[in-house]
Amino acid sequence: MRRRRSGEKGAHSPGRSMSGMTDCLFCRIVAGEIPATVVADTDGVLAFRDIDPKAPHHILVIPKAHYTNAADMAAAEPMLAGEVLAAAGRIAESEGFAADGYRLMFNTGGHGGQEVFHAHLHVLAGKPLGPMLAV
Ligand code: AMP
Ligand code: ZN
């Protein structure tokens, strides 16, 4: 099944500057305009290593289509939200931390600590992370 791309019906447009480039950092990574260390790439989903890792393994899994946050993505395209989660599970297996365990996290909005407003799933692993991250 063909997946929607940014800018098509159903996906929110991140907006484009005078130069024609999107002002969304993660859309620019999807477009190949900004480099990233990619660990998984499917029709609908891209996963790459976080540039400032908060754990020994820190990978971001994103929909290629632009949604501001995880709730918007899930409301508009529940199958795509499932793909993001399934990709995280496959990455945990392929990176070798599935058995030890890992944390999945969607920061949402200002109080949630979201800094990049393109939905992304944090996959954190590689050491005991404790019962909860600092609040
Ligand atoms: P959040 O605070 O949930 O919006 O998380 C945004 C994440 O994106 C942070 O963990 C950043 O370290 C990460 N990040 C920012 N710029 C890049 C980049 N160019 N490549 C990879 N990860 C990035
Ligand atoms: Zn975007």
Side-chain angles (χ1 to χ4, degrees):
M1 189 181 83
R2 188 171 167 274
R3 303 293 194 282
R4 288 187 191 114
R5 304 282 175 173
S6 294
E8 292 186 18
K9 192 165 182 283
H12 297 245
S13 169
R16 296 209 160 245
S17 68
M18 293 290 280
S19 66
M21 287 194 304
T22 173
D23 50 18
C24 172
L25 174 64
F26 288 174
C27 281
R28 294 189 69 191
I29 288 176
V30 170
E33 295 170 0
I34 292 175
T37 305
V38 171
V39 298
D41 186 352
T42 70
D43 277 0
V45 171
L46 188 70
F48 51 90
R49 297 195 192 282
D50 196 291
I51 203 167
D52 181 18
K54 313 318 187 278
H57 296 276
H58 188 174
I59 294 160
L60 303 175
V61 185
I62 70 169
K64 288 184 175 177
H66 181 88
Y67 290 100
T68 300
N69 59 47
D72 282 1
M73 169 179 62
E77 289 201 66
M79 291 284 286
L80 181 58
E83 282 181 45
V84 169
L85 287 168
R90 288 194 303 272
I91 290 163
E93 295 288 348
S94 63
E95 294 281 316
F97 53 73
D100 283 337
Y102 53 97
R103 177 166 290 156
L104 301 180
M105 192 170 66
F106 286 108
N107 294 332
T108 303
H111 284 193
Q114 187 176 4
E115 292 182 343
V116 178
F117 288 85
H118 179 131
H120 53 281
L121 176 59
H122 291 265
V123 184
L124 296 149
K127 67 176 184 182
L129 296 169
M132 187 63 186
L133 291 180
V135 291

